[in-house]
């Protein structure tokens, strides 16, 4: 008998890859989407175009993370074996502009699902999508034992969700696990995220469609992986014998400056860095500015570096990332 999974945030980067992954494993997959006047399901096109008819096991429901009743109705109806809570206001910079919405969606939304599972007395396994932003300005290699000190409304909202997941696990004996995922990208990344902005921007500059793009802190360092690897880790976390919390990362970090260099290398674009700080510019061999620095893209509190230690996931889950950073960049370029 097929397992039944429910994915919140199914129209996002991770949600769409996870839905495809679970369908390939013969799950019946349900996703929650918000009611909107326009469709926002383009990332799910591959499912509906699947000639193997996997899409016949895929179902969408209207709901919202801050609407307890809509969530409860869906969960009570389908009684999922597994819930993957991927829905979030996930942009760190936006969280400073919309702290209340971020807190309600990411924090209270998670609590809503946990409480619904508890009150319905379901045996559902629950996965909470957590984040490396929990660690804030900690420059060490980050593991499950590293203390959290978030420095953004996004990080704080995710910290609340993380702790509530642990509380429900320890207080009620529920199968609730956190995946502390470090930065992971793909061709399906949202346009406002820096990796997508860099890849698409440089492609368009090379094609002559635009002249330049603007970025923020080029010195920020991140541990970047591919979303395809990371959704497999999410599934493995719920297949583990007991609920727990796991860091998922590549264990390698690169600066945004490094990322730009790699993208330009794969696009065969010759560039030079000129100047420092807010006056730094990236120019082509003709001296034209193709990337400039704009202070509006800096966070009120910057996180200079994030590097994960996924030794626990490698040991217990037998998880290993398959994509290198260059593999990821080429996938984004060739999409």
């Amino acid at each position: 008998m097929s397992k039944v999974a429910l994915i919140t945030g199914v129209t996002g980067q991770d949600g769409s890859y996870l839905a495809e992954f679970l369908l390939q494993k013969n799950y019946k997959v349900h996703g929650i989407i918000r009611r909107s006047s326009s469709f926002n399901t383009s990332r799910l096109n591959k499912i509906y175009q699947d000639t193997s008819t996997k899409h016949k096991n895929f179902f969408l429901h209207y709901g919202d993370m801050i609407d307890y009743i809509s969530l409860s109705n869906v969960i009570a109806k389908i009684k999922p074996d597994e819930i993957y809570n991927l829905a979030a206001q996930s942009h760190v910079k936006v969280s400073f502009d919309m702290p209340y919405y971020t807190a309600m969606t990411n924090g209270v939304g998670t609590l809503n699902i946990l409480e619904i599972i508890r009150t319905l007395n379901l045996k559902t396994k629950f996965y909470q999508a957590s984040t490396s932003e929990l660690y804030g300005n900690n420059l060490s290699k980050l593991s499950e034992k590293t203390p959290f000190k978030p420095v953004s409304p996004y990080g704080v909202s995710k910290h609340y969700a993380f702790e509530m997941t642990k509380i429900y696990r320890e207080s009620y004996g529920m199968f609730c696990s956190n995946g502390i995922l470090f930065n992971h990208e793909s061709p399906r990344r949202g346009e406002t995220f820096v990796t997508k902005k860099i890849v698409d921007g440089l492609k368009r500059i090379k094609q002559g469609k635009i002249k330049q793009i603007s970025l923020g802190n080029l010195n920020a360092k991140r541990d970047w992986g591919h979303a395809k690897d990371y959704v497999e880790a999410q599934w493995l976390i719920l297949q583990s014998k007991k609920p727990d919390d796991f860091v998922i990362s590549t264990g390698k970090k690169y600066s945004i400056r490094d990322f730009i260099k790699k993208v330009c290398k794969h696009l065969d674009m010759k560039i030079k860095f000129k100047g420092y700080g807010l006056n730094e510019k990236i120019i082509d061999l003709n001296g034209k500015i193709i990337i400039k620095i704009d202070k509006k893209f800096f966070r009120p509190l910057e996180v200079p570096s994030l590097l994960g230690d996924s030794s626990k996931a490698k040991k217990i889950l037998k998880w290993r990332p398959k994509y290198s950073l260059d593999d990821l960049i080429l996938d984004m370029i060739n999409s």
Side-chain angles (χ1 to χ4, degrees):
M1 188 174 179
S2 298
K3 284 186 178 181
V4 177
L6 175 64
I7 303 172
T8 70
V10 72
T11 60
Q13 169 187 257
D14 286 18
S16 60
Y17 281 121
L18 180 61
E20 291 170 15
F21 178 88
L22 294 177
L23 287 168
Q24 289 299 318
K25 290 191 171 293
N26 296 316
Y27 277 66
K28 290 184 178 179
V29 179
H30 297 256
I32 291 180
I33 60 173
R34 286 179 294 173
R35 187 73 176 90
S36 174
S37 59
S38 59
F39 289 106
N40 184 29
T41 57
S42 60
R43 293 187 179 97
L44 303 174
N45 287 345
K46 186 175 179 181
I47 292 173
Y48 290 113
Q49 294 165 359
D50 189 348
T51 56
S52 69
T53 70
K54 291 289 185 184
H55 66 273
K56 290 184 178 179
N57 287 324
F58 182 66
F59 313 92
L60 293 177
H61 309 266
Y62 287 121
D64 194 289
M65 293 300 292
I66 56 178
D67 181 357
Y68 185 95
I69 294 174
S70 70
L71 290 176
S72 183
N73 287 341
V74 172
I75 293 171
K77 179 181 178 181
I78 67 175
K79 295 180 175 59
D81 297 295
E82 300 169 0
I83 293 179
Y84 296 85
N85 183 32
L86 311 185
Q89 190 302 99
S90 57
H91 200 287
V92 177
K93 178 68 170 62
V94 172
S95 76
F96 284 96
D97 301 323
M98 304 177 68
Y100 177 80
Y101 176 76
T102 301
M104 292 298 292
T105 302
N106 300 358
V108 176
T110 301
L111 174 60
N112 284 340
I113 296 178
L114 289 166
E115 186 64 6
I116 290 165
I117 295 171
R118 186 187 73 83
T119 56
L120 292 177
N121 197 31
L122 299 176
K123 300 300 181 184
T124 303
K125 293 183 176 182
F126 176 77
Y127 170 82
Q128 170 58 23
S130 201
T131 170
S132 57
E133 291 289 333
L134 293 176
Y135 296 109
N137 293 316
N138 195 319
L139 298 179
S140 62
K141 197 166 188 180
L142 306 165
S143 73
E144 297 83 2
K145 297 179 180 179
T146 309
F148 297 144
K149 46 180 180 181
V151 295
S152 68
Y154 170 74
V156 171
S157 70
K158 284 291 193 174
H159 190 188
Y160 176 87
F162 179 96
E163 295 297 342
M164 291 306 297
T165 299
K166 283 188 66 177
I167 286 171
Y168 273 69
R169 177 171 76 218
E170 294 168 0
S171 300
Y172 303 115
M174 293 165 55
F175 196 112
C176 303
S177 297
N178 287 291
I180 309 171
L181 272 58
F182 280 63
N183 295 67
H184 48 289
E185 320 296 320
S186 75
R188 300 179 190 177
R189 197 48 147 154
E191 293 178 358
T192 58
F193 288 83
V194 67
T195 53
K196 183 73 167 177
K197 188 175 180 181
I198 291 168
V199 172
D200 286 2
L202 289 172
K203 283 173 65 176
R204 294 178 71 194
I205 288 169
K206 183 173 182 179
Q207 293 164 356
K209 294 180 179 179
I210 60 173
K211 293 183 179 180
Q212 64 181 215
I213 58 173
S214 298
L215 299 175
N217 181 14
L218 300 187
N219 297 316
K221 295 180 179 179
R222 294 293 183 267
D223 184 329
W224 278 302
H226 198 301
K228 285 184 177 181
D229 283 334
Y230 285 48
V231 299
E232 181 180 10
Q234 293 168 17
W235 176 74
L236 286 170
I237 287 171
L238 290 195
Q239 311 317 305
S240 186
K241 290 182 180 179
K242 63 179 183 178
D244 206 345
D245 307 319
F246 295 91
V247 165
I248 304 299
S249 67
T250 68
K252 299 177 182 179
K253 68 178 177 181
Y254 299 87
S255 68
I256 293 174
R257 189 188 310 277
D258 295 330
F259 191 90
I260 292 169
K261 290 177 180 178
K262 283 181 174 290
V263 174
C264 287
K265 179 181 178 181
H266 289 299
L267 288 174
D268 195 26
M269 295 174 68
K270 308 297 182 182
I271 59 169
K272 291 183 179 180
F273 292 81
K274 188 176 182 180
Y276 300 94
L278 291 174
N279 295 317
E280 185 171 13
K281 301 174 181 63
I282 300 175
I283 60 175
D284 63 17
L285 293 186
N286 295 319
K288 293 181 180 179
I289 300 171
I290 60 172
I291 299 178
K292 65 178 182 178
I293 308 303
D294 190 328
K295 64 180 181 181
K296 76 178 182 181
F297 294 114
F298 282 72
R299 301 178 186 177
L301 281 173
E302 284 287 337
V303 176
S305 176
L306 289 171
L307 177 64
D309 178 359
S310 57
S311 300
K312 181 178 175 181
K314 290 176 180 177
K315 180 180 179 180
I316 297 175
L317 306 178
K318 309 303 181 186
W319 176 82
R320 294 287 191 284
K322 300 180 181 70
Y323 287 79
S324 68
L325 182 60
D326 285 290
D327 294 333
L328 166 64
I329 290 171
L330 282 170
D331 193 24
M332 294 178 75
I333 287 173
N334 296 328
S335 64

